Amino acid sequence: MNNRPPARRGRPRSQATRQTILRATNALLEAHGYTALTIEGVAEQAGVSKSTIYRWWASKAELAMEAYAASAAARLPLPDTGDLAADLLAFGEQFCQLLRTTSTPKIMSGLAAAAFDDQALAQAFRHGFISTRRTAMQHILERASERGEIAASTNIEQALDHFYGPIFYRLLFRGAPIDTLFVQQHVQAMLTLLERPAPSS
Amino acid sequence: MNNRPPARRGRPRSQATRQTILRATNALLEAHGYTALTIEGVAEQAGVSKSTIYRWWASKAELAMEAYAASAAARLPLPDTGDLAADLLAFGEQFCQLLRTTSTPKIMSGLAAAAFDDQALAQAFRHGFISTRRTAMQHILERASERGEIAASTNIEQALDHFYGPIFYRLLFRGAPIDTLFVQQHVQAMLTLLERPAPSS
Amino acid sequence: MNNRPPARRGRPRSQATRQTILRATNALLEAHGYTALTIEGVAEQAGVSKSTIYRWWASKAELAMEAYAASAAARLPLPDTGDLAADLLAFGEQFCQLLRTTSTPKIMSGLAAAAFDDQALAQAFRHGFISTRRTAMQHILERASERGEIAASTNIEQALDHFYGPIFYRLLFRGAPIDTLFVQQHVQAMLTLLERPAPSS
Amino acid sequence: MNNRPPARRGRPRSQATRQTILRATNALLEAHGYTALTIEGVAEQAGVSKSTIYRWWASKAELAMEAYAASAAARLPLPDTGDLAADLLAFGEQFCQLLRTTSTPKIMSGLAAAAFDDQALAQAFRHGFISTRRTAMQHILERASERGEIAASTNIEQALDHFYGPIFYRLLFRGAPIDTLFVQQHVQAMLTLLERPAPSS
DNA sequence: GGATAAGCGAGACGGTACGTCACGTCTTCCT
DNA sequence: AGGAAGACGTGACGTACCGTCTCGCTTATCC
């Protein structure tokens, strides 16, 4: 692995500037949402020139993605209680609280829409926002599988779709609440789908 | 029922113009997607003035909504085979085919994102796009309930979330296929959740 | 002379409506000036439909002209003291006061500019605004001539140009005051130009 | 004297673009008059974006002013024959010819009307169009004064009003000709007003 | 250490679309 | 037929951002 910096000629990119831009983007996203985010706004907020932004990000979608993905990933809950139902409840509860208290839904729906017009962005979106969340949940399921709580044959992919799908559907399309009651019922349904410990006999 | 002819004063709104605008909007939506839709583009395509559009629709979101909702509703499958599994399969298959072959996903994601910035739009979106689809599915479940295929106590709302949620999640967020295999597995999962006729006796 | 009204078919033109429109126009002219005058504004102010206005006046210029010409003409001073200098002073003083206290300059400059784009309007403007004023002054000069205060050979046209020219020039182009001092000096200059009674000896 | 190169930050204003805009404006003014001048028209004619025009000029009036003032000033006659009457005749003749053969009257009346709605514009108009012309004439009168052709006590301001006033009055308000005969009579009147060489004795 | 490259802030520039305003014409109903 | 209401196509408005481009200046590496 050649991890030495490439030692390119010319003035190196300022990491400070890069962070300032990402922070400004996040602040604006949280404050006014994705639609209202503009490159010019970020430039002003960050005290940075537009060209500097365009040098490193191709569009506001790409910028928003990078800015928000990190902060979103950092907040992902990672419960490990040793019990599937408890893990699901804890994860669901904390995850839904995030969705309730941050601008995440707004931003994700904006990015999802933008992704339809830009394949590269779609790629980044799925990697930065979707896979991360799926992986977190996957760990829970795999641990449950190792403990024998769910059958080894369980279709994990499908289970993940069934966990996240209804949550986002309610949030983005129905405007329905993502409260404790919902989480409880949702986890119950998940267990119904998962708990097939092979009745043996 | 307000069936009185409005008997309003002044020149009445031209229905021909209205239809032309809606048709032009649909054509542009299908051709270039929601992001690329502009009021000016619709005006030109329809041979209509911008002001006429603004007179009746407050934004491109509202226009796209009305234009697309009708055409989308008209295409909703309404199977009635007398068997829950068959109904689900038929509905799922046809519904997913629509999502695969039209610009519906693009448009819905655009509208969903726009709905976050406009409560009135959100309202219209849920009524025009979401409720319609839910109702279609609800009829299937209710008929199954009457036939005793599913328990009367079944939480229909939750079932609907579980049906639509994963479909849109795969489509908008994961970019995952909505093919026949998926539909079959998905319907199977739905049956698992629903078929709890409490064998009792 | 057949002075009976033509007795045309259909509902006759409403004189009340006509007057309402002219009054509304004058009010708006005085309040906001010529530039800000719009047909739609007049229609609203007068509680009248746009078509009614267009039925009788071809443009806002023509309307403004008719509306303002009458009210302006009514205010023209007509001094008759039996002495040229006194008449000139009185007329000048009162005329300039009108120009100072009403929107007349604004309106006249607007109309003069509009007249360059419309020959019919130019015609009407000269007749309604310019000739009227010239005639008033002309009477003064003619009476002076009859009294022998100025030579019969005096070029009246030229004298009128010399009287009105500087006033409007100061007002419209220079933004210079049209106060008592100016009027006095101006009248003095006029007398210098006019009083050539050829002392004969 | 601010001769330091401004050393401003950012991309400097393109002088080429500026000139292109001014030239396009003049062309359109001369061709279609002031009323028909539109910012969009100038932008198209000059191959320039609207925003660039709005960046530097606040209104079509301001633009027309700057565009036309320079070209008008460049054409001002500056006779110096050593004789007042000859200077006046030459200046009057040439000046009136300009007014006859160019769109100047149209443009000036438009600007004068616009100046009533905008004090800054009025200021610029007086400086760009009016003072320039007055100064030219003033030089003629001052030279005559030095030569003793007119009394030192002559009110120059008033003389200038008497020179320009009737010309513009005939042009803008009366639509009366500004021909050689008029100029001769006008100059004669001016001399009557000016030539007061103190009869001594 | 001087040449050579970028990085960077500022901001001008050609564009596109916005949403608004008033235009002048029209269509409908009412008087 | 006159008239009020108001829909309509048209054209320009002035604004907001877009993404690109020149500037002058700074900060590095390379010869």
Side-chain angles (χ1 to χ4, degrees):
Chain A
M1 307 291 170
N2 177 8
N3 271 343
R4 276 170 298 164
R8 287 182 295 134
R9 308 208 347 156
R11 178 173 171 178
R13 173 174 185 186
S14 159
Q15 286 305 318
T17 296
R18 184 171 172 279
Q19 289 305 326
T20 310
I21 293 170
L22 291 176
R23 242 171 300 136
T25 303
N26 266 330
L28 291 174
L29 275 176
E30 204 62 68
H32 308 295
Y34 179 76
T35 311
L37 187 76
T38 66
I39 298 283
E40 297 214 323
V42 173
E44 187 174 10
Q45 171 90 4
V48 140
S49 75
K50 280 200 293 174
S51 352
T52 300
I53 299 179
Y54 280 113
R55 216 187 312 275
W56 305 112
W57 295 276
S59 62
K60 92 163 182 179
E62 212 172 86
L63 171 59
M65 191 97 77
E66 181 169 344
Y68 210 74
S71 84
R75 290 181 296 205
L76 262 192
L78 295 168
D80 186 1
T81 62
D83 176 66
L84 176 58
D87 275 3
L88 285 181
L89 258 180
F91 186 88
E93 188 61 66
Q94 291 176 61
F95 182 62
C96 287
Q97 183 174 348
L98 278 179
L99 297 180
R100 264 184 271 122
T101 56
T102 64
S103 292
T104 306
K106 251 174 127 141
I107 294 161
M108 287 190 67
S109 73
L111 288 175
F116 274 99
D117 300 318
D118 180 345
Q119 276 311 306
L121 185 70
Q123 189 71 24
F125 177 65
R126 285 169 207 151
H127 183 269
F129 278 90
I130 307 307
S131 299
T132 322
R133 284 162 172 70
R134 287 175 76 83
T135 304
M137 187 57 170
Q138 198 172 341
H139 289 330
I140 291 174
L141 298 183
E142 279 166 358
R143 284 198 307 269
S145 183
E146 285 163 15
R147 287 192 303 262
E149 290 185 86
I150 61 179
S153 64
T154 304
N155 186 337
I156 300 277
E157 289 287 301
Q158 194 183 15
L160 295 175
D161 289 350
H162 269 281
F163 178 75
Y164 286 110
I167 294 177
F168 286 116
Y169 174 68
R170 289 174 68 93
L171 209 55
L172 306 187
F173 282 3
R174 292 192 55 205
I178 299 288
D179 52 20
T180 302
L181 176 60
F182 161 74
V183 172
Q184 287 169 350
Q185 293 179 336
H186 189 48
V187 165
Q188 198 52 52
M190 287 303 296
L191 292 174
T192 302
L193 281 172
L194 291 167
E195 281 182 346
R196 298 256 138 191
S200 61
S201 70
Chain B
M1 312 287 172
N2 178 10
N3 274 341
R4 279 167 296 162
R8 288 181 296 121
R9 314 228 284 183
R11 178 174 174 177
R13 174 173 186 186
S14 159
Q15 286 307 316
T17 296
R18 182 173 171 277
Q19 289 304 328
T20 311
I21 292 170
L22 292 176
R23 242 172 298 137
T25 304
N26 266 331
L28 291 174
L29 275 175
E30 204 62 68
H32 308 295
Y34 179 76
T35 311
L37 186 76
T38 65
I39 298 283
E40 297 215 321
V42 173
E44 187 173 11
Q45 171 89 3
V48 139
S49 72
K50 277 201 293 175
S51 33
T52 298
I53 298 179
Y54 280 113
R55 221 187 310 275
W56 303 110
W57 294 277
S59 62
K60 89 165 183 180
E62 211 172 87
L63 171 59
M65 191 94 79
E66 181 170 344
Y68 210 75
S71 83
R75 289 182 296 206
L76 263 192
L78 294 169
D80 185 1
T81 62
D83 176 67
L84 176 57
D87 276 3
L88 285 182
L89 258 180
F91 185 89
E93 187 61 67
Q94 291 176 62
F95 182 62
C96 287
Q97 181 173 349
L98 278 179
L99 296 180
R100 263 184 272 120
T101 56
T102 64
S103 293
T104 306
K106 253 173 124 138
I107 295 162
M108 287 189 67
S109 73
L111 289 176
F116 274 99
D117 300 317
D118 180 347
Q119 276 311 305
L121 187 68
Q123 189 70 24
F125 177 65
R126 283 169 208 153
H127 183 269
F129 277 90
I130 307 307
S131 299
T132 322
R133 285 162 169 71
R134 287 175 77 83
T135 304
M137 186 58 167
Q138 197 172 341
H139 289 331
I140 291 174
L141 297 183
E142 280 166 357
R143 284 198 307 268
S145 182
E146 286 163 14
R147 287 190 304 261
E149 290 185 83
I150 60 179
S153 63
T154 306
N155 186 337
I156 299 278
E157 289 287 301
Q158 193 184 16
L160 295 175
D161 289 349
H162 268 281
F163 178 75
Y164 286 110
I167 292 177
F168 285 115
Y169 175 68
R170 290 174 67 92
L171 209 55
L172 306 187
F173 282 2
R174 293 191 55 206
I178 299 289
D179 52 20
T180 302
L181 177 60
F182 160 75
V183 171
Q184 287 168 350
Q185 293 179 337
H186 189 48
V187 165
Q188 198 53 53
M190 287 302 295
L191 292 174
T192 302
L193 281 172
L194 291 167
E195 280 183 346
R196 298 254 141 194
S200 63
S201 67
Chain C
M1 305 294 169
N2 177 8
N3 271 343
R4 275 170 299 164
R8 288 182 292 134
R9 305 201 358 152
R11 179 170 167 183
R13 173 174 182 184
S14 159
Q15 285 305 317
T17 297
R18 185 171 172 279
Q19 289 304 327
T20 310
I21 293 169
L22 292 176
R23 241 172 302 140
T25 304
N26 265 331
L28 291 174
L29 275 175
E30 204 63 67
H32 308 297
Y34 178 76
T35 311
L37 186 75
T38 66
I39 298 283
E40 299 214 321
V42 173
E44 186 174 12
Q45 171 91 3
V48 140
S49 76
K50 281 200 292 175
S51 350
T52 301
I53 299 178
Y54 280 113
R55 216 188 311 276
W56 305 111
W57 294 277
S59 63
K60 91 164 182 179
E62 212 172 85
L63 171 60
M65 191 97 77
E66 181 169 343
Y68 210 76
S71 83
R75 289 181 296 206
L76 263 191
L78 294 168
D80 185 1
T81 63
D83 177 67
L84 176 58
D87 276 3
L88 284 181
L89 258 179
F91 184 89
E93 188 59 68
Q94 291 176 61
F95 182 61
C96 288
Q97 182 173 350
L98 278 179
L99 296 180
R100 262 183 273 122
T101 56
T102 64
S103 292
T104 306
K106 255 174 124 137
I107 295 162
M108 287 190 68
S109 73
L111 289 175
F116 273 99
D117 300 317
D118 180 346
Q119 276 312 305
L121 186 71
Q123 189 71 25
F125 177 64
R126 284 168 208 153
H127 183 269
F129 278 89
I130 308 307
S131 299
T132 322
R133 285 163 169 72
R134 287 174 76 82
T135 304
M137 186 60 168
Q138 197 173 342
H139 290 331
I140 292 175
L141 298 182
E142 278 166 357
R143 285 198 305 270
S145 183
E146 286 163 12
R147 288 190 303 260
E149 289 185 86
I150 61 178
S153 63
T154 304
N155 186 337
I156 299 279
E157 288 287 302
Q158 193 183 16
L160 294 175
D161 289 350
H162 269 281
F163 178 75
Y164 285 110
I167 292 175
F168 286 115
Y169 174 69
R170 288 174 69 94
L171 209 55
L172 306 187
F173 283 3
R174 292 192 55 206
I178 299 289
D179 53 18
T180 302
L181 177 60
F182 161 75
V183 172
Q184 287 170 348
Q185 292 180 337
H186 189 50
V187 165
Q188 198 54 53
M190 287 302 296
L191 293 174
T192 303
L193 280 172
L194 291 168
E195 280 181 348
R196 296 254 140 191
S200 68
S201 75
Chain D
M1 314 288 171
N2 178 9
N3 275 340
R4 280 168 296 162
R8 287 181 297 122
R9 314 225 286 180
R11 178 173 172 177
R13 174 172 184 185
S14 159
Q15 287 307 315
T17 296
R18 182 173 172 276
Q19 289 303 328
T20 310
I21 293 169
L22 292 175
R23 243 172 298 136
T25 303
N26 266 330
L28 290 173
L29 275 175
E30 203 62 69
H32 309 295
Y34 178 76
T35 310
L37 186 76
T38 65
I39 299 282
E40 297 215 321
V42 173
E44 186 174 11
Q45 171 89 4
V48 140
S49 72
K50 276 202 293 176
S51 33
T52 299
I53 298 179
Y54 280 113
R55 221 188 309 277
W56 302 110
W57 293 277
S59 61
K60 90 164 184 179
E62 212 172 86
L63 172 58
M65 190 97 78
E66 181 169 344
Y68 210 75
S71 83
R75 290 182 295 208
L76 263 192
L78 295 167
D80 184 2
T81 62
D83 175 68
L84 175 58
D87 276 4
L88 285 180
L89 257 180
F91 185 89
E93 187 61 65
Q94 290 176 62
F95 181 62
C96 289
Q97 182 174 349
L98 278 178
L99 297 180
R100 262 183 272 121
T101 56
T102 64
S103 293
T104 306
K106 252 173 128 140
I107 295 163
M108 287 188 69
S109 72
L111 288 176
F116 273 100
D117 300 317
D118 179 348
Q119 277 312 305
L121 186 70
Q123 188 72 24
F125 177 65
R126 285 168 207 153
H127 183 268
F129 278 89
I130 307 307
S131 298
T132 322
R133 284 163 170 72
R134 287 175 77 82
T135 304
M137 187 57 169
Q138 196 172 341
H139 290 330
I140 291 174
L141 298 182
E142 279 166 358
R143 284 198 306 269
S145 182
E146 285 163 16
R147 287 190 302 260
E149 290 184 85
I150 61 179
S153 63
T154 304
N155 186 336
I156 298 277
E157 289 286 301
Q158 193 183 16
L160 294 174
D161 289 350
H162 269 281
F163 179 76
Y164 286 110
I167 293 177
F168 286 116
Y169 174 69
R170 290 175 67 95
L171 209 54
L172 306 187
F173 283 2
R174 293 192 55 208
I178 300 288
D179 53 19
T180 302
L181 177 59
F182 161 74
V183 172
Q184 286 169 350
Q185 293 179 337
H186 189 49
V187 166
Q188 198 53 53
M190 287 302 296
L191 292 174
T192 302
L193 282 172
L194 291 167
E195 281 181 347
R196 297 256 138 193
S200 63
S201 74

